[in-house]
Amino acid sequence: MKKYAFNDITLMQYIFLIAGIQLGVGLLQLPRELAELAGTDGWIALLIGFALATCSSLTIVAVMKRHPDGTLFDLLKRYVGKWAGRAAAVVTAMYFAFFSYSIILRAVLFVRSWILPKTPNFVMLVLLAIPSYLLARGGIRILGRYAELVFYITLWMPFFYLLSLRESNWLYMLPLFKEGLQPILFAVKPTLFAFLGFEAAFLLYPFLKSKQYASQGIIVANALTLLVYLHVTVTCNVFYSPDTITHFNEPSVNVLKTMEFRFIERLEIVFLSFFIMIISTTWLPGIYLSVFSINWIFGKADHRKLLQWFMLLLVASLLFVKPTFNKTDQWIEIVSLTGIFFGYLFPYLLWLYVWLHDRLRWRRRGA
């Protein structure tokens, strides 16, 4: 009997879970970050980031095929030893916990900045933590359904950005490679962080029903993320001048302030409410995967009690930490550097080790 069959997910849920983790805060700030480093050529860096993320994603799937009914920890326990599996579980739990913590506090700051400026951070975090717990306690299948639901609910949003194209200037995009290739290569770093989320496949793979489509699914997830980032980045670049776009922290929200309808005064407030739903598909799986990693160490299946403690510590942390945009930027930078190793370098090292291990064992049997 499969160890994780009780909480399996469909291919669509697998796709939307990975794409949801990837979108996160990059949806709001990535256009500005790319413009600061590469100007209007930042969209080219997105293509490079997509290619690198896809190669690493396929490597993860290739490694997990060696032990399809287990997670990364089960695979390391089998190939290296019990200590390696436990060490990886601790590191992974810390990574996803800090990742989720940074994202959810960033969401709190966004909401306070745009909608509820006089509401204390503690109250905002409690309002986000309660529904987060109610969703995460249902397990990965419920989170997969939620990510799929959020995708369908927010499917209309990209079409509203097309309205801004009436006042856009496509000449801003020309010529290509304005300052050469070097600025584009510098801009690849924020795109690598923007595509982080595919590394969750290390833990999601055994839950997937149709494992034969895991490679296609993770490619579709990366492509979906690429299309969203390209759409928002290009729209902001052609709407704002190359110098103006860097003056806005969240240009993808600011561009909506120029749209007016008779039946609504501030369209960006409505959009930001849906943006929070999209960002929630980033921190929710991260919280669950962190708790799941700790439970794996102790061999427990019920994650709800540990999840309760996680949410309580999350809220209580505001008694000692006062989050700011600059501080969360520093945290996200740390997460980015850690994620680049975990998502982009570690899969190749692990694949090489597993390949050599199986090769040597096959030779010993042949001898």
Side-chain angles (χ1 to χ4, degrees), residues 1-6 69:
M1 183 180 177
K2 294 182 180 179
K3 185 177 180 181
Y4 304 103
F6 67 95
D69 295 330

Side-chain angles (χ1 to χ4, degrees), residues 29 37 51 86 91 94 114 117 122 132 134 143 163-164 192 195 206 235-237 260 278 284 319 350:
Q29 294 187 297
L37 295 172
R86 290 183 175 178
V91 173
M94 294 174 60
W114 283 91
F122 180 82
S132 295
L134 295 176
L143 293 178
L163 298 176
S164 66
L192 293 181
F195 279 100
T235 300
C236 292
N237 281 332
E260 296 180 357
I278 296 174
L284 280 170
L319 298 175
L350 182 59

